[in-house]
Amino acid sequence: MPELPEVEVVKKSLETKLKNLTIKRVNIINNKLRYKIDSKLFSKIKSQKIISIQRRSKYLLINLNKNSTILAHLGMTGKFFIIDNSKKHKTSFYYSFKKNDIKHDHITFIFNKKIKLVYNDVRKFGFIKIFNSADVFKCSHLASLGPEPLSSSFNSSYFNKYIFNKKTKIKDLIMDQKFVAGLGNIYCNEVLYLCKISPARTVEKIKKKEIKKIVKFIKIILKQAIQLGGSTIKNFSSTEGQVGNFQQKFNVYAREKTSCRRSKCLGIIKKVYTSNRSSFFCPKCQK
């Protein structure tokens, strides 16, 4: 599943290409995504202009000029294609795909300037909904989300207060979207490795100086991943058709049975399951 950096890359790409375009019509090819598409709501956004595109956690918010917001989640395999009909050849602005992939196109937004936005999703775990802009942050998807990890609200003081009297495992905590929004399995593994903390350690045993390190490395890792275009795991690539490069910097994720990359550490990366999610760590230097 795309995590915060991958969704941020898509958000920036869409904003660059779609801002100020007007929706001429919406073609719903298949309405059976994670949630059934309400065709009546989608018909009401005709003639509305995109004024901005935001990201909240792993969600995309496409804001329109008549108080409507398109809320999208990519699920496991969701992708957006941008197609410029005025050109005969595909440009670098959208995915490169084969003819057989067309069967996974579910929604097409047709804009002015002969531009289309296509939502493609092989497994159909993603969704697209329409909300009143004033109410979108109150919806069930967004209402209970924690602070954005790159914001000033996510800091060691907040961290300390949140874990008071809690005994959950540290990896479960930083993956909890109510605690901090947007982090997923890939980046949590990498953060804990850099902090030399075992994913199985409980938060009551995390020292204050370690909390500062966790906050620091979460911000560093996410910024690096965004700069590098995210991580290409299985089906994800950016809206420009570029693959992410952060996976080349993985220290532990998907590196089980390989040597720890820390100098002078003789540990071997181990894979275990923490709350039914794969955890990769070095048992020698992560305690």
Side-chain angles (χ1 to χ4, degrees):
M1 179 183 291
E3 298 181 23
L4 185 154
E6 292 77 48
V7 180
E8 180 68 17
V9 170
V10 173
K11 172 252 174 183
K12 290 182 176 181
S13 302
L14 293 180
E15 189 165 46
T16 299
K17 309 306 175 189
L18 301 181
K19 189 176 180 180
N20 296 321
L21 292 183
T22 299
I23 299 170
K24 295 178 69 177
R25 67 180 186 279
V26 180
N27 291 340
I28 298 173
I29 304 161
N30 175 23
N31 66 356
K32 296 178 182 178
L33 298 179
R34 191 198 308 181
Y35 304 107
K36 188 175 180 180
I37 295 170
D38 189 333
S39 58
K40 290 182 180 179
L41 284 178
F42 276 79
S43 66
K44 292 180 180 179
I45 63 173
K46 181 181 176 181
S47 301
Q48 294 195 37
K49 181 189 290 187
I50 292 179
I51 56 174
S52 66
I53 300 178
Q54 298 172 266
R55 178 198 53 76
R56 178 70 171 110
S57 183
K58 303 172 188 178
Y59 297 88
L60 290 164
L61 294 88
I62 303 174
N63 300 308
L64 308 177
N65 67 323
K66 294 183 181 179
N67 202 31
S68 294
T69 294
I70 302 168
L71 181 69
H73 192 284
L74 300 175
M76 296 292 291
T77 58
K79 307 177 185 69
F80 278 113
F81 299 98
I82 295 179
I83 302 173
D84 187 342
N85 282 337
S86 66
K87 297 182 180 180
K88 294 181 179 179
H89 302 284
K90 293 179 180 179
T91 71
S92 61
F93 300 155
Y94 51 85
Y95 293 100
S96 175
F97 57 93
K98 299 177 182 179
K99 289 183 179 179
N100 289 340
D101 290 335
I102 295 174
K103 65 182 180 180
H104 301 299
D105 291 349
H106 304 300
I107 307 174
T108 302
F109 298 85
I110 294 91
F111 297 94
N112 60 320
K113 299 186 179 181
K114 297 182 179 180
I115 291 176
K116 295 180 182 179
L117 175 67
V118 179
Y119 181 69
N120 177 288
D121 194 341
V122 175
R123 299 180 69 181
K124 299 191 286 288
F125 289 163
F127 70 82
I128 300 181
K129 291 183 177 183
I130 306 291
F131 287 91
N132 183 295
S133 297
D135 299 326
V136 65
F137 287 103
K138 300 174 187 177
C139 77
S140 61
H141 305 292
L142 305 181
S144 62
L145 292 174
E148 287 288 320
L150 295 176
S151 71
S152 59
S153 300
F154 181 65
N155 52 49
S156 55
S157 176
Y158 163 79
F159 201 123
N160 275 302
K161 290 177 182 177
Y162 194 94
I163 65 173
F164 183 71
N165 279 341
K166 288 185 171 62
K167 296 183 179 181
T168 186
K169 294 176 181 178
I170 183 60
K171 182 160 181 269
D172 291 342
L173 177 76
I174 59 177
M175 284 192 66
D176 184 349
Q177 300 303 295
K178 293 180 181 179
F179 169 64
V180 60
L183 279 172
N185 200 33
I186 295 171
Y187 299 104
C188 288
N189 278 285
E190 293 299 308
V191 166
L192 292 176
Y193 172 80
L194 292 174
C195 295
K196 296 184 178 180
I197 295 173
S198 167
R201 203 200 304 179
T202 56
V203 294
E204 63 182 338
K205 297 179 181 178
I206 302 292
K207 299 175 183 177
K208 287 187 176 181
K209 64 179 181 179
E210 290 178 313
I211 287 174
K212 289 182 179 180
K213 288 180 71 175
I214 293 170
V215 171
K216 173 186 173 182
F217 280 113
I218 282 175
K219 294 178 186 288
I220 288 174
I221 286 286
L222 292 179
K223 287 177 182 178
Q224 285 180 348
I226 291 169
Q227 187 176 17
L228 291 170
S231 303
T232 301
I233 300 296
K234 294 183 180 179
N235 298 297
F236 181 79
S237 60
S238 76
T239 320
E240 288 81 6
Q242 299 169 337
V243 296
N245 291 311
F246 188 77
Q247 71 275 7
Q248 296 174 11
K249 293 184 175 292
F250 285 168
N251 288 298
V252 287
Y253 188 82
R255 293 193 62 245
E256 70 270 26
K257 298 181 181 180
T258 64
S259 300
C260 176
R261 286 181 169 171
R262 280 198 175 91
S263 60
K264 299 181 181 180
C265 180
L266 301 177
I268 302 297
I269 303 304
K270 187 176 180 179
K271 178 181 179 180
V272 296
Y273 285 89
T274 307
S275 300
N276 297 319
R277 296 300 299 270
S278 56
S279 290
F280 301 88
F281 71 107
C282 174
K284 191 171 181 66
C285 62
Q286 287 179 258
K287 301 296 183 181

